[in-house]
Amino acid sequence: MSRIRVLTHARAAVVAALLAPLAACSSNGSPNTPDGEVTSGAADRPVTVTVTPSGEKAPAGEPVKVTASGGRLTSVTVTDSEGRRLAGEVAADGRSWLSDRKAVPGAAYKVTAATRSEGGTAKSTEAAFTTAEADKVNKVDWRPGAGATVGVAQPISLVFDHPVRNRAEVEKQLKITTSNDTEGSWGWLRDWSGRDRVDWRPKAYWKPGTKVTLNAELNGTDSGADGGWFVRDYKTTFTIGARQIAKVDLDRHQLTLVRDGETVRRIPVSGGTPGGDKRSWRGTAVLMAKEGTINMNSETVGLGDAYDKMVDYSMRLTWSGMYAHAAPWNARYFGNANHSSGCIGMSDANAAWFYGQVRPGDPFEITGKDTKGVVAPGNGFGAWNLSWTEWQQKSALR
């Protein structure tokens, strides 16, 4: 009997020794630990956080990515040297975070990642990196300007200093919002200046009163090839004014201003002289700017020494030099014949009145048998001379 009791006591001691370390790693935690939270113990390994890009002079143009192994990310904050935050979102599984925007050239970033280990330990990890400076910068000239009220045919037009080869990538960064969900599309053109250009036009003329905003989130985008980097964003907002259309009938030598479907005034005019280089363009031209009194010199448009004079109430319709303006020297031809060097001329009184009525973005719908062709998309704002299907094909995202 004594032998049996000794063995029983020995087995009990072994079982107690095996249970002791299990109790130390129990998920019950200490008396002060909330239910469901595991205290740090021997098996609670630290979370490994990885940030890309990393180091100094890292390549720009990619989103910032933060990953965690051995635990989860609970939050990530990325700021540049000026305290601006790079927004992003933690993935549903907590294993990664990706910025909404790309890292921009020549910037210094600080990354703070809050993590929780598999064992429940919360920790904060910091990292930093810099991006290489842009070796070449691409800039943008855009229309219309912020706060403008424009006509129903006004496109949004961006002209680039340097060539754009990554057109699809650039187009993705161009965000258009309107107050009435206007349908439209971007189209890539060669501007009259020879530079790359992208315009956004609606499917049909804008509805009066539409509020429009362009957010060109280009900072950190590479133009591709030798075009350089964009190092800033661009934003413009504008409003569409009344529906005004200038209908120009070169065969009848008459301009009719139509506002909201009603004829406001008919004006006798004289267009470009038939049969040669002085003919006018036809199709839809858009009033680009009201330039007032300017010097017009025929040599600038390839017409030799045909004219060199100061002209009042000048309204630009194309980059190639077609205007509507006062032309008192042609008074005998108004309403009777086309006898200008390609412009649409009218009397001083009618030009003064008309100049006060129209605004940039108003369409001029020009018809006539003897013209030198249709206004090209890049010659001013000639995109309206393409069908909607043709225009959509000019998008890099088609």
Side-chain angles (χ1 to χ4, degrees), residues 362-378:
D362 285 345
F364 281 58
E365 297 178 350
I366 306 167
T367 59
K369 294 178 182 177
D370 197 351
T371 63
K372 54 186 174 184
V374 174
V375 177

Side-chain angles (χ1 to χ4, degrees), residues 47-52 63-68 72-79 84-91 94-100 109-116 123-127 129:
V47 180
T48 301
V49 174
T50 304
V51 177
T52 53
V64 178
K65 186 174 184 179
V66 182
T67 59
R72 296 169 57 89
L73 296 166
T74 55
S75 69
V76 175
T77 302
V78 180
T79 55
R84 293 179 297 231
R85 294 185 64 171
L86 197 61
E89 186 175 355
V90 176
R95 303 296 182 183
S96 64
W97 178 94
L98 191 67
S99 65
D100 296 336
Y109 291 97
K110 178 182 176 182
V111 181
T112 302
T115 61
R116 186 172 294 277
K123 187 179 178 181
S124 180
T125 301
E126 292 188 350
F129 67 92

Side-chain angles (χ1 to χ4, degrees), residues 9-61:
H9 288 311
R11 288 172 181 163
V14 172
V15 171
L18 291 171
L19 289 175
L22 292 178
C25 293
S26 170
S27 62
N28 291 332
S30 67
N32 296 323
T33 302
D35 292 341
E37 183 173 311
V38 182
T39 59
S40 177
D44 189 10
R45 297 178 180 176
V47 180
T48 301
V49 174
T50 304
V51 177
T52 53
S54 63
E56 296 184 359
K57 296 185 178 180

Side-chain angles (χ1 to χ4, degrees), residues 187-189 201-203 284 374-378 381-394:
W188 289 86
L189 311 170
R201 54 151 277 203
K203 182 177 181 180
T284 299
V374 174
V375 177
F381 300 136
W384 296 102
N385 296 306
L386 299 180
S387 70
W388 177 236
T389 299
E390 290 171 331
W391 179 251
Q392 288 178 301
Q393 291 301 310
K394 289 187 169 293

